[in-house]
Amino acid sequence: MCGIVGLYLKNPALENQLGALFEPMLLAMTERGPDSAGFAIYGDEVKDGWIKMTLQSTAAGYDFKALMGELEGRLGCSLDWFQNASAAVLKTNADEAAVRAVIAELAPAVRVMSVGQSIEILKGMGLPKEISERFSLAKMKGSHIIGHTRMATESAVTMEGSHPFSTGQDLCLVHNGSLSNHFRLRQELRRHGIEFETENDTEVAAGYLTWRLRQGDSLKEALDHSLEDLDGFFTFAIGTRDGFAVIRDPIACKPAILAETDDYVAMASEYQALSTLPGIDKAKVWEPEPATMYIWERSA
């Protein structure tokens, strides 16, 4: 079944409250997804020439401090990092491919959850409340965030199989539904250089968008193509460095609701997840139309 929630702040004055505003939204989706949960938050951007990587370990109590020392020594790079429970956020001026290669060699239990200048992805198995408390979601700051609560249908319940999925810089996707042609698409996208770490159909959708963007598509053009090439039922919420998008398949059998005020845009699988937001009683609230893109982005 799964639950999706997203919050995009139009008012920068609210950015210090992003996590506190979003946490009740994620918890409201518990019954739709009790297996695992996660979120992608945008903010705390690194400067040009640097990247930010979110790392998570499949082993409890992983020694990230030792790994960071090894990375600094092997790569001869500048880096900064901090740990958040079972995750570490690394900021470095090293080449992404070089960092990935060293991590793969030295730390096979560590997975790269996201890479970009803004994004951090934090996720894991357990109830949404457990995930929220583990990563101190309520204290987090940023410009926008999307989250997901999972009831597994297409693959095993694992940390790696939780949403959001990211296969490109500052790009992530969460999904309610199922894709019927994900196996064929996965094989095709691999031939185009897209790499996958799970058998989850949602990771294929994220990889598809990454491939289209690499071909020069705008986000709107990539989503247009997705309606032609992705078979199945889906509501997607997509995060980028600059914004937030929502799209449903042409049949639109998976639920979604949008709300907009002068301060924010919010979406959820059910209205109850929006009910705690300030000014929701005065918001424009509507159900997104089938096969229609809704995109909000910061001005360049």
Side-chain angles (χ1 to χ4, degrees):
M1 188 161 60
C2 300
I4 295 175
V5 280
L7 182 60
Y8 174 82
L9 297 179
K10 298 159 67 175
N11 181 356
L14 293 174
E15 291 186 4
N16 286 344
Q17 303 174 49
L18 180 64
L21 292 170
F22 183 76
E23 184 182 48
M25 298 174 62
L26 188 70
L27 300 190
M29 293 290 96
T30 297
E31 290 188 1
R32 295 190 66 89
D35 297 337
S36 54
F39 55 90
I41 186 166
Y42 292 82
D44 186 28
E45 293 198 356
V46 296
K47 60 187 177 183
D48 290 342
W50 284 60
I51 56 172
K52 181 166 68 166
M53 306 177 78
T54 315
L55 311 176
Q56 283 192 240
S57 174
T58 56
Y62 185 82
D63 187 355
F64 280 109
K65 183 177 181 179
L67 175 61
M68 297 304 164
E70 291 274 8
L71 284 172
E72 194 168 23
R74 290 280 293 270
L75 296 170
C77 62
S78 297
L79 64 81
D80 187 17
W81 72 283
F82 63 89
Q83 187 164 348
N84 184 350
S86 58
V89 177
L90 164 66
K91 303 173 183 179
T92 179
N93 62 353
D95 176 72
E96 177 188 343
V99 178
R100 284 182 178 272
V102 175
I103 290 173
E105 176 188 346
L106 298 179
V110 170
R111 301 287 183 267
V112 178
M113 295 289 100
S114 62
V115 180
Q117 288 187 274
S118 179
I119 189 173
E120 296 172 28
I121 288 181
L122 301 161
K123 59 185 184 177
M125 296 177 291
L127 292 169
K129 186 175 189 295
E130 296 169 2
I131 305 306
S132 173
E133 291 177 350
R134 181 182 307 164
F135 297 114
S136 301
L137 170 59
K139 297 178 181 179
M140 298 185 81
K141 305 172 184 180
S143 56
H144 53 296
I145 185 170
I146 63 173
H148 185 272
T149 65
R150 186 175 185 226
M151 185 176 289
T153 56
E154 289 292 332
S155 60
V157 179
T158 62
M159 181 267 287
E160 301 97 309
S162 308
H163 300 214
F165 283 97
S166 179
T167 53
Q169 288 213 359
D170 284 313
L171 176 74
C172 74
L173 180 145
V174 296
H175 171 206
N176 178 20
S178 61
L179 301 179
S180 57
N181 64 337
H182 64 94
F183 180 80
R184 177 183 62 79
L185 274 176
R186 183 182 285 107
Q187 300 304 111
E188 184 176 329
L189 290 168
R190 277 179 172 148
R191 289 194 289 272
H192 290 292
I194 303 297
E195 297 182 3
F196 299 97
E197 296 189 3
T198 75
E199 296 302 312
N200 193 295
D201 59 336
T202 305
E203 190 179 15
V204 174
Y208 175 85
L209 291 182
T210 296
W211 172 64
R212 294 297 329 182
L213 292 170
R214 286 180 184 175
Q215 302 310 299
D217 281 4
S218 66
L219 179 59
K220 182 181 184 303
E221 290 167 338
L223 291 173
D224 264 334
H225 285 294
S226 76
L227 292 171
E228 301 168 2
D229 294 337
L230 301 180
D231 293 333
F233 305 118
F234 55 83
T235 292
F236 292 148
I238 301 100
T240 70
R241 182 183 178 188
D242 294 321
F244 165 76
V246 175
I247 189 170
R248 302 168 81 192
D249 68 77
I251 298 175
C253 68
K254 295 300 178 181
I257 193 80
L258 283 163
E260 184 170 12
T261 71
D262 291 340
D263 289 328
Y264 60 79
V265 179
M267 75 84 58
S269 297
E270 298 176 10
Y271 178 80
Q272 63 162 332
L274 308 179
S275 62
T276 57
L277 290 170
I280 190 65
D281 55 323
K282 297 182 175 71
K284 174 188 175 185
V285 178
W286 74 101
E287 181 180 349
E289 295 291 331
T292 302
M293 279 161 285
Y294 299 86
I295 302 175
W296 291 266
E297 291 183 312
R298 293 181 293 182
S299 300

